Amino acid sequence: MNRSDFSEDSSNNSSINNNDNKDIKSFQNISTPKKNSNNSQIDLIESDESDEENPIDYKPGGYHPVETGDTLNGARYLVLQKVGWGHFSTVWLCWDEQDNKCVVLKIQKSAINYTSSAKDEIKILEHIKNLDPHRSSHCVHLIDQFSHQGPHGTHVCMVFDALGYSLLTLMKFY
């Protein structure tokens, strides 16, 4: 799989119809891009861009600027689309070129207090992973973590399996 396999058109590819039955099973398979019938492109999940982070937070100590098509960690992770954001970080759906699967990449703000919080989060996630090597507890597992130097500082990055919609997004459907 390569960059040309991904479609940037997400205008009509949501797998949930807001007027249909809103069963949890209807979003179970949206955590990864869908292959089109011609198997040449992958449709991406629709995103709600009405709730965006404040652009003034893209500054030293703040968010790292990311665009679709960017690569991180030695070109291992290809950015497909934004999944969400929070006060501490932005979250991106990415293609893992090494493991050939979709993952979610969380990029922490670069200020020292956010970096410290991210390092604490990594310790907790690694502890969970070590206690549950067979993933029987149904807890999210940290796949990878690395630092990324950007124009606004050094950002701690965490990589997770792509699981599906966020709780906030699910709440908007009901």
Side-chain angles (χ1 to χ4, degrees), residues 23-89:
D23 188 309
I24 274 190
K25 292 180 182 176
S26 65
F27 73 88
Q28 285 180 334
N29 295 321
I30 60 86
S31 62
T32 58
K34 309 270 189 225
K35 274 280 190 185
N36 284 337
S37 57
N38 64 9
N39 281 338
S40 65
Q41 291 183 333
I42 294 183
D43 289 330
L44 300 177
I45 303 162
E46 279 188 55
S47 63
D48 179 9
E49 295 187 14
S50 63
D51 298 322
E52 292 293 318
E53 66 275 16
N54 193 333
I56 65 169
D57 289 328
Y58 284 87
K59 61 184 179 186
Y63 296 116
H64 174 64
V66 179
E67 294 184 19
T68 301
D70 286 353
T71 59
L72 291 102
N73 200 20
R76 177 175 177 179
Y77 302 109
L78 170 66
V79 176
L80 302 177
Q81 79 175 76
K82 187 179 199 178
V83 175
W85 67 280
H87 180 70
F88 283 45
S89 60

Side-chain angles (χ1 to χ4, degrees), residues 11-145:
S11 60
N12 60 3
N13 55 10
S14 177
S15 58
I16 293 182
N17 182 336
N18 289 337
N19 298 321
D20 291 342
N21 181 10
K22 295 172 183 161
D23 188 309
I24 274 190
K25 292 180 182 176
S26 65
F27 73 88
Q28 285 180 334
N29 295 321
I30 60 86
S31 62
T32 58
K34 309 270 189 225
K35 274 280 190 185
N36 284 337
S37 57
N38 64 9
N39 281 338
S40 65
Q41 291 183 333
I42 294 183
D43 289 330
L44 300 177
I45 303 162
E46 279 188 55
S47 63
D48 179 9
E49 295 187 14
S50 63
D51 298 322
E52 292 293 318
E53 66 275 16
N54 193 333
I56 65 169
D57 289 328
Y58 284 87
K59 61 184 179 186
Y63 296 116
H64 174 64
V66 179
E67 294 184 19
T68 301
D70 286 353
T71 59
L72 291 102
N73 200 20
R76 177 175 177 179
Y77 302 109
L78 170 66
V79 176
L80 302 177
Q81 79 175 76
K82 187 179 199 178
V83 175
W85 67 280
H87 180 70
F88 283 45
S89 60
T90 56
V91 182
W92 300 85
L93 181 66
C94 296
W95 181 255
D96 182 341
E97 298 283 358
Q98 178 178 310
D99 292 338
N100 292 317
K101 67 178 184 176
C102 281
V103 295
V104 173
L105 176 65
K106 179 178 177 180
I107 305 174
Q108 202 83 357
K109 286 181 175 178
S110 62
I112 190 70
N113 55 319
Y114 299 113
T115 298
S116 177
S117 294
K119 289 178 180 180
D120 289 342
E121 183 177 352
I122 289 168
K123 287 179 189 174
I124 293 167
L125 291 165
E126 286 178 340
H127 184 70
I128 290 169
K129 186 176 179 179
N130 291 336
L131 290 175
D132 185 26
H134 303 293
R135 296 182 176 217
S136 58
S137 68
H138 306 290
C139 290
V140 66
H141 279 221
L142 181 68
I143 295 173
D144 189 17
Q145 56 94 13

